[in-house]
Amino acid sequence: MTPAAKRAVRTALQTFAAVVAVMPALAAIVADSTALAAAAPWVITAAATAAATAGVVARAMAHPAVEALLDRFGLGLANDPDGGAQ
C-alpha cells in the first residue's frame, strides 16, 4: 500500500472513531424523541458518509499537485518516506 493510500485509510479510520464516540450520545437523544427516531437511519448513513468522505479528501490531499499547492501556504507535509518514525 502506498503512503498516500495509508494516510487516506488512517484519516477515514480516525473520522470513523470520532463518529463512533459520538454515537452513544446521539442514540440517547434519538431514544427520547419519536421524530428523531425516524431520522436514525439517515443519521447513521450520514456518519458513515462523513468517514468515507474524510478518507477520499485525505487521498486527494496526498496527490503531489495538491501537496505542492499546500506547501505554498505552509500546510504541506514534510517529505518523510518513513512517516516520521525514529
Side-chain angles (χ1 to χ4, degrees):
M1 186 179 290
T2 67
K6 287 180 184 178
R7 287 186 187 113
V9 170
R10 287 170 46 122
T11 299
L13 289 174
Q14 291 166 356
T15 304
F16 179 73
V19 169
V20 168
V22 174
M23 290 307 265
L26 182 62
I29 293 169
V30 168
D32 289 341
S33 172
T34 56
L36 287 177
W42 179 87
V43 171
I44 292 170
T45 302
T49 302
T53 301
V56 169
V57 170
R59 183 68 172 112
M61 289 181 71
H63 190 275
V66 176
E67 185 64 33
L69 178 66
L70 291 173
D71 279 338
R72 292 177 56 192
F73 294 101
L75 299 172
L77 297 174
N79 292 330
D80 191 1
D82 66 354
Q86 294 187 12

